[in-house]
Amino acid sequence: MTAVVEAPQESPAVAPDLGRRNAVPIIYTRGTHYEIGFDIGRTFAKLIQDFVERYRPLQDSYLGMYERPEGRRIYEETLACANEQYPQYVREIQGTADGSGVPFYKLMLMHLDDIVTSGAAEEGESRTGNDQPVGCSSIICNHPGHEILGHNEDALSETLNHWYLVDAHVVEPGLREEKFTSLCYAGFLPGYTMGYNHHGLVYSINTLSAKQLRSAKTPRYFMARALLGCEDYAQVEATLRDEGYGAAEGFSVNLTFLGPSPRIFRNVEVAPALAEQSCSQIDVCCANEGDNLSHCNKYLRLKVTEVGGLIIDSSDHRMEAINRHSPPKTCQEVIEILSDQTDDYYRVYQEIRPEDYVKTIATGIFDCIARTWTIYTDKPVCNDPIVVLPLILKNEVRTCTSA
């Protein structure tokens, strides 16, 4: 009698839902732009491959548009603009593609975001709404003893467990030295979430959805990446104005520079360049000592026509929930607001049901007095942080403590 031995079953190509993992992968890397990209791709190859396969905008929309003549034209001319402005960051994406084994064009399409699909309007379609209630909530508290930037990073649910921290020291002949730490979605450039650099820049990003996007302009992921090299606010504003090109899409930046008092926080709203101009539209609002400032995913000051849809509804509901609280004067009060789940539809801390389309994947608290970045992987009001990172400035010694 011959024994029959069953072959072991192979694991599925895409892992099943793992729930919310209390884990923060981090890479420390040094080298040229291509080298740090390659090391990120090599280290997180499986994570990046899984995310690319799961990422709905890419699979459901961007790849299809890329196969159409209009979509390919927009891809090529916007890539050319990025190469003219920031060839070093294109090399970073190429390095990540090579290290992870994911084709470059797929990663680049993810960085071009809705710029590619906006071209459909010229073919009889229209970009009238955003039915993805994606976005983030940022809260600034600038009070004596409490100089805080708090941020909920909200993303499509497939992003949960598909992000990591990049701590990079970029050294490349002919280019400025960069040292920074940033939360990154798998396969994306550092910068378009929250992070800081060794010049003392601390910031978070909120996506804004202007209705009219611009191809052959600078994608917001590249502008946010460039912020990580800025030495002072003048360089930040110049990066966001982007003279000669201008932003292709909208977003806002909440920021400050560590240093002597008095502390000044800023929110900068950025809108796509107007058709007749070659620089971004921007508006700056300051939060001086004793002030508070909050921002979600809707323009509050710039007069920009926005898409309709869930991203605006979600932002309105979250801002209403934030404003039901008294203006925060302490770090704990910022944490309580970022944990708010009182709204019936769109919560400041977004996760009630496993099937929720959008989830808060991480919460970050930048304490500008203690010089720490505290990261939570679950609702912060009732969970301990998973890590507390020191904000290390130029030439300072690095230490790191887990919570």
Side-chain angles (χ1 to χ4, degrees), residues 348-398:
V348 179
Y349 193 91
Q350 183 62 41
E351 183 176 55
I352 296 292
R353 301 169 299 273
E355 66 272 17
D356 280 343
Y357 195 72
V358 167
K359 297 181 186 293
T360 299
I361 64 171
T363 298
I365 302 292
F366 293 97
D367 187 326
C368 298
I369 296 176
R371 291 193 179 182
T372 56
W373 178 12
T374 301
I375 299 175
Y376 298 81
T377 52
D378 213 333
K379 191 164 71 170
V381 76
C382 53
N383 289 280
D384 292 330
I386 196 164
V387 68
V388 179
L389 298 171
L391 302 179
I392 305 298
L393 303 189
K394 198 168 185 177
N395 300 323
E396 292 182 347
V397 177
R398 178 182 304 279

Short mmCIF file of all heavy atoms in Angstrom, two decimals, residues 348-398:
data_model
loop_
_atom_site.label_atom_id
_atom_site.label_comp_id
_atom_site.label_asym_id
_atom_site.label_seq_id
_atom_site.Cartn_x
_atom_site.Cartn_y
_atom_site.Cartn_z
N VAL A 348 -13.55 61.55 13.78
CA VAL A 348 -12.20 62.09 13.80
C VAL A 348 -11.21 60.93 13.88
O VAL A 348 -10.23 60.87 13.14
CB VAL A 348 -12.00 63.07 14.98
CG1 VAL A 348 -10.57 63.60 15.00
CG2 VAL A 348 -13.00 64.22 14.89
N TYR A 349 -11.47 59.98 14.78
CA TYR A 349 -10.71 58.73 14.77
C TYR A 349 -11.57 57.70 14.07
O TYR A 349 -12.57 57.21 14.61
CB TYR A 349 -10.34 58.25 16.18
CG TYR A 349 -9.30 57.15 16.13
CD1 TYR A 349 -7.94 57.46 16.19
CD2 TYR A 349 -9.66 55.81 15.97
CE1 TYR A 349 -6.98 56.47 16.09
CE2 TYR A 349 -8.71 54.82 15.86
CZ TYR A 349 -7.37 55.15 15.94
OH TYR A 349 -6.42 54.17 15.83
N GLN A 350 -11.19 57.36 12.84
CA GLN A 350 -12.07 56.59 11.97
C GLN A 350 -11.78 55.10 12.07
O GLN A 350 -10.86 54.58 11.46
CB GLN A 350 -11.89 57.06 10.51
CG GLN A 350 -12.82 56.38 9.53
CD GLN A 350 -14.29 56.64 9.82
OE1 GLN A 350 -14.67 57.74 10.16
NE2 GLN A 350 -15.10 55.60 9.71
N GLU A 351 -12.55 54.42 12.89
CA GLU A 351 -12.63 52.97 12.86
C GLU A 351 -13.64 52.51 13.89
O GLU A 351 -13.41 52.60 15.09
CB GLU A 351 -11.29 52.28 13.15
CG GLU A 351 -11.44 50.75 13.03
CD GLU A 351 -10.14 50.01 13.22
OE1 GLU A 351 -9.48 50.20 14.24
OE2 GLU A 351 -9.80 49.21 12.34
N ILE A 352 -14.75 52.06 13.41
CA ILE A 352 -15.78 51.46 14.25
C ILE A 352 -16.00 50.02 13.83
O ILE A 352 -15.98 49.10 14.64
CB ILE A 352 -17.11 52.24 14.16
CG1 ILE A 352 -16.93 53.67 14.71
CG2 ILE A 352 -18.21 51.51 14.93
CD1 ILE A 352 -16.67 53.74 16.20
N ARG A 353 -16.17 49.81 12.53
CA ARG A 353 -16.45 48.47 12.00
C ARG A 353 -15.25 47.98 11.20
O ARG A 353 -14.55 48.78 10.54
CB ARG A 353 -17.69 48.51 11.10
CG ARG A 353 -18.94 48.98 11.80
CD ARG A 353 -20.06 49.26 10.79
NE ARG A 353 -19.67 50.30 9.84
CZ ARG A 353 -19.84 51.60 10.08
NH1 ARG A 353 -20.38 52.00 11.21
NH2 ARG A 353 -19.46 52.50 9.19
N PRO A 354 -15.01 46.67 11.17
CA PRO A 354 -13.90 46.14 10.37
C PRO A 354 -14.00 46.50 8.90
O PRO A 354 -12.99 46.65 8.22
CB PRO A 354 -14.00 44.63 10.59
CG PRO A 354 -14.73 44.47 11.89
CD PRO A 354 -15.69 45.62 11.96
N GLU A 355 -15.23 46.65 8.40
CA GLU A 355 -15.42 46.90 6.97
C GLU A 355 -15.35 48.39 6.61
O GLU A 355 -15.58 48.75 5.45
CB GLU A 355 -16.76 46.33 6.49
CG GLU A 355 -17.99 47.01 7.08
CD GLU A 355 -18.44 46.41 8.41
OE1 GLU A 355 -17.64 45.68 9.03
OE2 GLU A 355 -19.60 46.65 8.80
N ASP A 356 -15.04 49.25 7.55
CA ASP A 356 -14.95 50.68 7.24
C ASP A 356 -14.01 50.92 6.07
O ASP A 356 -12.90 50.36 6.02
CB ASP A 356 -14.46 51.47 8.47
CG ASP A 356 -15.58 51.74 9.46
OD1 ASP A 356 -16.75 51.60 9.08
OD2 ASP A 356 -15.28 52.08 10.62
N TYR A 357 -14.46 51.77 5.13
CA TYR A 357 -13.72 52.03 3.90
C TYR A 357 -12.42 52.77 4.18
O TYR A 357 -11.41 52.56 3.50
CB TYR A 357 -14.61 52.84 2.96
CG TYR A 357 -14.15 52.89 1.54
CD1 TYR A 357 -14.26 51.76 0.72
CD2 TYR A 357 -13.64 54.06 0.98
CE1 TYR A 357 -13.84 51.81 -0.60
CE2 TYR A 357 -13.23 54.11 -0.34
CZ TYR A 357 -13.33 52.98 -1.13
OH TYR A 357 -12.93 53.02 -2.44
N VAL A 358 -12.46 53.65 5.17
CA VAL A 358 -11.30 54.44 5.56
C VAL A 358 -11.02 54.22 7.03
O VAL A 358 -11.94 54.11 7.83
CB VAL A 358 -11.54 55.94 5.28
CG1 VAL A 358 -10.49 56.82 5.95
CG2 VAL A 358 -11.54 56.20 3.78
N LYS A 359 -9.75 54.14 7.38
CA LYS A 359 -9.36 53.94 8.77
C LYS A 359 -8.26 54.93 9.14
O LYS A 359 -7.46 55.35 8.29
CB LYS A 359 -8.84 52.52 8.99
CG LYS A 359 -9.87 51.42 8.76
CD LYS A 359 -9.27 50.05 9.04
CE LYS A 359 -10.26 48.93 8.66
NZ LYS A 359 -11.43 48.90 9.53
N THR A 360 -8.23 55.30 10.40
CA THR A 360 -7.08 56.02 10.93
C THR A 360 -6.00 54.97 11.17
O THR A 360 -6.14 54.10 12.00
CB THR A 360 -7.44 56.73 12.24
OG1 THR A 360 -8.48 57.69 12.00
CG2 THR A 360 -6.22 57.46 12.80
N ILE A 361 -4.91 55.06 10.41
CA ILE A 361 -3.88 54.02 10.48
C ILE A 361 -2.82 54.34 11.54
O ILE A 361 -2.11 53.43 11.99
CB ILE A 361 -3.21 53.79 9.12
CG1 ILE A 361 -2.45 55.02 8.65
CG2 ILE A 361 -4.25 53.37 8.08
CD1 ILE A 361 -1.59 54.79 7.43
N ALA A 362 -2.70 55.61 11.93
CA ALA A 362 -1.73 55.99 12.95
C ALA A 362 -2.06 57.38 13.45
O ALA A 362 -2.66 58.19 12.73
CB ALA A 362 -0.30 55.95 12.41
N THR A 363 -1.67 57.65 14.68
CA THR A 363 -1.78 58.99 15.26
C THR A 363 -0.39 59.43 15.69
O THR A 363 0.35 58.65 16.32
CB THR A 363 -2.72 59.01 16.47
OG1 THR A 363 -4.04 58.63 16.04
CG2 THR A 363 -2.78 60.38 17.11
N GLY A 364 -0.02 60.66 15.35
CA GLY A 364 1.27 61.20 15.75
C GLY A 364 1.10 62.44 16.58
O GLY A 364 0.26 63.30 16.28
N ILE A 365 1.88 62.54 17.65
CA ILE A 365 1.89 63.73 18.50
C ILE A 365 3.31 64.28 18.53
O ILE A 365 4.22 63.64 19.07
CB ILE A 365 1.43 63.41 19.94
CG1 ILE A 365 0.02 62.81 19.95
CG2 ILE A 365 1.51 64.67 20.82
CD1 ILE A 365 -1.08 63.76 19.56
N PHE A 366 3.50 65.46 17.94
CA PHE A 366 4.79 66.13 17.99
C PHE A 366 4.77 67.11 19.18
O PHE A 366 3.95 68.04 19.18
CB PHE A 366 5.07 66.90 16.71
CG PHE A 366 5.27 66.03 15.50
CD1 PHE A 366 4.23 65.78 14.62
CD2 PHE A 366 6.52 65.48 15.23
CE1 PHE A 366 4.42 65.00 13.49
CE2 PHE A 366 6.72 64.68 14.10
CZ PHE A 366 5.67 64.44 13.24
N ASP A 367 5.64 66.89 20.14
CA ASP A 367 5.77 67.77 21.29
C ASP A 367 7.01 68.62 21.06
O ASP A 367 8.14 68.12 21.14
CB ASP A 367 5.89 66.95 22.57
CG ASP A 367 5.87 67.81 23.83
OD1 ASP A 367 6.40 68.95 23.78
OD2 ASP A 367 5.36 67.34 24.86
N CYS A 368 6.82 69.89 20.77
CA CYS A 368 7.94 70.75 20.38
C CYS A 368 8.77 71.20 21.58
O CYS A 368 9.88 71.72 21.38
CB CYS A 368 7.42 71.97 19.63
SG CYS A 368 6.58 71.55 18.08
N ILE A 369 8.27 71.04 22.79
CA ILE A 369 9.05 71.36 23.98
C ILE A 369 9.90 70.16 24.40
O ILE A 369 11.10 70.27 24.60
CB ILE A 369 8.14 71.84 25.13
CG1 ILE A 369 7.43 73.15 24.72
CG2 ILE A 369 8.94 72.03 26.42
CD1 ILE A 369 6.43 73.65 25.73
N ALA A 370 9.25 69.00 24.51
CA ALA A 370 9.99 67.78 24.85
C ALA A 370 10.81 67.27 23.68
O ALA A 370 11.70 66.44 23.87
CB ALA A 370 9.02 66.69 25.31
N ARG A 371 10.52 67.77 22.48
CA ARG A 371 11.18 67.32 21.25
C ARG A 371 11.02 65.82 21.06
O ARG A 371 12.00 65.07 20.92
CB ARG A 371 12.65 67.73 21.23
CG ARG A 371 12.88 69.22 21.08
CD ARG A 371 14.33 69.53 20.76
NE ARG A 371 14.54 70.96 20.59
CZ ARG A 371 15.71 71.49 20.27
NH1 ARG A 371 16.77 70.72 20.07
NH2 ARG A 371 15.85 72.79 20.13
N THR A 372 9.77 65.39 21.03
CA THR A 372 9.46 63.99 20.81
C THR A 372 8.35 63.86 19.78
O THR A 372 7.51 64.75 19.61
CB THR A 372 9.01 63.30 22.11
OG1 THR A 372 7.88 64.01 22.66
CG2 THR A 372 10.14 63.23 23.13
N TRP A 373 8.36 62.71 19.11
CA TRP A 373 7.29 62.32 18.19
C TRP A 373 6.74 61.01 18.72
O TRP A 373 7.39 59.98 18.67
CB TRP A 373 7.85 62.17 16.79
CG TRP A 373 6.86 61.73 15.74
CD1 TRP A 373 5.51 61.66 15.82
CD2 TRP A 373 7.21 61.30 14.41
NE1 TRP A 373 4.98 61.21 14.65
CE2 TRP A 373 5.99 60.99 13.75
CE3 TRP A 373 8.40 61.17 13.71
CZ2 TRP A 373 5.95 60.53 12.44
CZ3 TRP A 373 8.36 60.71 12.40
CH2 TRP A 373 7.15 60.40 11.77
N THR A 374 5.53 61.07 19.26
CA THR A 374 4.88 59.91 19.85
C THR A 374 3.89 59.33 18.85
O THR A 374 3.06 60.06 18.30
CB THR A 374 4.14 60.31 21.15
OG1 THR A 374 5.08 60.88 22.07
CG2 THR A 374 3.47 59.11 21.79
N ILE A 375 3.99 58.03 18.61
CA ILE A 375 3.17 57.38 17.58
C ILE A 375 2.29 56.31 18.22
O ILE A 375 2.78 55.46 18.98
CB ILE A 375 4.06 56.76 16.48
CG1 ILE A 375 4.87 57.86 15.79
CG2 ILE A 375 3.21 56.00 15.46
CD1 ILE A 375 5.86 57.34 14.78
N TYR A 376 1.01 56.38 17.90
CA TYR A 376 0.02 55.40 18.35
C TYR A 376 -0.47 54.61 17.14
O TYR A 376 -0.70 55.19 16.07
CB TYR A 376 -1.19 56.09 18.99
CG TYR A 376 -0.89 56.91 20.22
CD1 TYR A 376 -0.39 58.21 20.13
CD2 TYR A 376 -1.15 56.40 21.50
CE1 TYR A 376 -0.13 58.96 21.26
CE2 TYR A 376 -0.90 57.16 22.64
CZ TYR A 376 -0.40 58.43 22.50
OH TYR A 376 -0.14 59.19 23.63
N THR A 377 -0.67 53.32 17.33
CA THR A 377 -1.24 52.50 16.27
C THR A 377 -2.69 52.11 16.55
O THR A 377 -3.29 51.36 15.80
CB THR A 377 -0.40 51.22 16.08
OG1 THR A 377 -0.24 50.57 17.34
CG2 THR A 377 0.96 51.54 15.49
N ASP A 378 -3.24 52.64 17.65
CA ASP A 378 -4.65 52.45 17.98
C ASP A 378 -5.13 53.71 18.66
O ASP A 378 -4.34 54.62 18.94
CB ASP A 378 -4.85 51.22 18.87
CG ASP A 378 -6.18 50.52 18.62
OD1 ASP A 378 -7.12 51.22 18.18
OD2 ASP A 378 -6.28 49.30 18.85
N LYS A 379 -6.42 53.80 18.96
CA LYS A 379 -7.01 55.04 19.47
C LYS A 379 -6.21 55.57 20.66
O LYS A 379 -6.10 54.90 21.69
CB LYS A 379 -8.47 54.81 19.85
CG LYS A 379 -9.22 56.09 20.13
CD LYS A 379 -10.72 55.91 20.13
CE LYS A 379 -11.20 55.13 21.34
NZ LYS A 379 -12.67 55.15 21.46
N PRO A 380 -5.65 56.76 20.56
CA PRO A 380 -4.67 57.19 21.55
C PRO A 380 -5.22 57.47 22.94
O PRO A 380 -4.47 57.37 23.91
CB PRO A 380 -4.06 58.45 20.92
CG PRO A 380 -5.09 58.93 19.95
CD PRO A 380 -5.76 57.71 19.43
N VAL A 381 -6.50 57.80 23.05
CA VAL A 381 -7.01 58.15 24.37
C VAL A 381 -7.06 56.94 25.29
O VAL A 381 -7.06 57.09 26.52
CB VAL A 381 -8.40 58.82 24.26
CG1 VAL A 381 -9.49 57.79 23.97
CG2 VAL A 381 -8.72 59.63 25.50
N CYS A 382 -7.09 55.74 24.74
CA CYS A 382 -7.21 54.55 25.58
C CYS A 382 -6.14 53.51 25.29
O CYS A 382 -6.28 52.34 25.65
CB CYS A 382 -8.60 53.92 25.45
SG CYS A 382 -9.12 53.58 23.77
N ASN A 383 -5.05 53.91 24.63
CA ASN A 383 -3.95 53.00 24.35
C ASN A 383 -2.62 53.71 24.58
O ASN A 383 -2.51 54.94 24.46
CB ASN A 383 -4.01 52.52 22.90
CG ASN A 383 -5.15 51.56 22.65
OD1 ASN A 383 -5.06 50.37 22.96
ND2 ASN A 383 -6.24 52.07 22.10
N ASP A 384 -1.62 52.92 24.95
CA ASP A 384 -0.28 53.48 25.08
C ASP A 384 0.33 53.67 23.70
O ASP A 384 0.02 52.92 22.76
CB ASP A 384 0.61 52.53 25.90
CG ASP A 384 0.19 52.45 27.36
OD1 ASP A 384 -0.35 53.46 27.87
OD2 ASP A 384 0.38 51.38 27.97
N PRO A 385 1.22 54.64 23.56
CA PRO A 385 1.93 54.76 22.28
C PRO A 385 2.82 53.55 22.05
O PRO A 385 3.27 52.91 23.00
CB PRO A 385 2.76 56.03 22.46
CG PRO A 385 2.93 56.17 23.94
CD PRO A 385 1.67 55.63 24.54
N ILE A 386 3.07 53.26 20.79
CA ILE A 386 3.93 52.12 20.49
C ILE A 386 5.39 52.53 20.45
O ILE A 386 6.28 51.72 20.67
CB ILE A 386 3.50 51.45 19.17
CG1 ILE A 386 4.14 50.06 19.06
CG2 ILE A 386 3.81 52.31 17.97
CD1 ILE A 386 3.51 49.18 18.02
N VAL A 387 5.65 53.81 20.19
CA VAL A 387 7.04 54.29 20.16
C VAL A 387 7.06 55.78 20.42
O VAL A 387 6.12 56.50 20.06
CB VAL A 387 7.71 53.95 18.81
CG1 VAL A 387 7.11 54.75 17.67
CG2 VAL A 387 9.21 54.17 18.86
N VAL A 388 8.11 56.24 21.06
CA VAL A 388 8.37 57.66 21.25
C VAL A 388 9.74 57.95 20.66
O VAL A 388 10.76 57.45 21.15
CB VAL A 388 8.33 58.06 22.74
CG1 VAL A 388 8.62 59.55 22.88
CG2 VAL A 388 6.98 57.71 23.37
N LEU A 389 9.76 58.71 19.58
CA LEU A 389 10.99 59.02 18.88
C LEU A 389 11.49 60.40 19.28
O LEU A 389 10.70 61.36 19.30
CB LEU A 389 10.79 58.98 17.37
CG LEU A 389 10.36 57.65 16.75
CD1 LEU A 389 9.98 57.86 15.29
CD2 LEU A 389 11.48 56.63 16.86
N PRO A 390 12.76 60.54 19.58
CA PRO A 390 13.31 61.88 19.83
C PRO A 390 13.44 62.63 18.52
O PRO A 390 13.72 62.03 17.47
CB PRO A 390 14.68 61.58 20.45
CG PRO A 390 15.07 60.26 19.86
CD PRO A 390 13.79 59.48 19.70
N LEU A 391 13.22 63.93 18.55
CA LEU A 391 13.41 64.77 17.38
C LEU A 391 14.86 65.25 17.39
O LEU A 391 15.22 66.16 18.13
CB LEU A 391 12.43 65.95 17.41
CG LEU A 391 10.94 65.56 17.47
CD1 LEU A 391 10.07 66.81 17.51
CD2 LEU A 391 10.55 64.68 16.30
N ILE A 392 15.67 64.60 16.59
CA ILE A 392 17.11 64.82 16.59
C ILE A 392 17.47 65.90 15.57
O ILE A 392 17.15 65.77 14.39
CB ILE A 392 17.87 63.52 16.24
CG1 ILE A 392 17.46 62.39 17.18
CG2 ILE A 392 19.38 63.76 16.29
CD1 ILE A 392 17.79 62.64 18.62
N LEU A 393 18.10 66.96 16.04
CA LEU A 393 18.51 68.03 15.15
C LEU A 393 19.94 67.81 14.69
O LEU A 393 20.64 66.92 15.15
CB LEU A 393 18.35 69.37 15.85
CG LEU A 393 16.94 69.69 16.36
CD1 LEU A 393 16.84 71.12 16.83
CD2 LEU A 393 15.88 69.41 15.31
N LYS A 394 20.36 68.63 13.77
CA LYS A 394 21.66 68.47 13.12
C LYS A 394 22.78 68.38 14.16
O LYS A 394 22.85 69.17 15.08
CB LYS A 394 21.92 69.65 12.18
CG LYS A 394 23.00 69.40 11.16
CD LYS A 394 23.01 70.48 10.09
CE LYS A 394 24.02 70.16 8.99
NZ LYS A 394 24.01 71.16 7.91
N ASN A 395 23.62 67.36 13.99
CA ASN A 395 24.81 67.12 14.83
C ASN A 395 24.49 66.65 16.25
O ASN A 395 25.38 66.56 17.09
CB ASN A 395 25.69 68.38 14.89
CG ASN A 395 26.19 68.80 13.52
OD1 ASN A 395 26.50 67.94 12.68
ND2 ASN A 395 26.26 70.09 13.28
N GLU A 396 23.21 66.37 16.56
CA GLU A 396 22.88 65.82 17.87
C GLU A 396 23.00 64.30 17.86
O GLU A 396 22.94 63.65 16.81
CB GLU A 396 21.46 66.23 18.28
CG GLU A 396 21.32 67.71 18.56
CD GLU A 396 19.92 68.09 19.02
OE1 GLU A 396 19.00 67.26 18.89
OE2 GLU A 396 19.75 69.22 19.50
N VAL A 397 23.14 63.71 19.06
CA VAL A 397 23.27 62.25 19.20
C VAL A 397 21.89 61.63 19.20
O VAL A 397 20.97 62.12 19.84
CB VAL A 397 24.03 61.90 20.48
CG1 VAL A 397 24.11 60.38 20.66
CG2 VAL A 397 25.44 62.50 20.46
N ARG A 398 21.73 60.52 18.51
CA ARG A 398 20.45 59.84 18.38
C ARG A 398 20.23 58.82 19.48
O ARG A 398 21.12 58.03 19.81
CB ARG A 398 20.37 59.13 17.03
CG ARG A 398 19.10 58.36 16.79
CD ARG A 398 19.15 57.65 15.46
NE ARG A 398 19.40 58.57 14.38
CZ ARG A 398 18.46 59.32 13.81
NH1 ARG A 398 17.23 59.26 14.24
NH2 ARG A 398 18.77 60.14 12.80
#
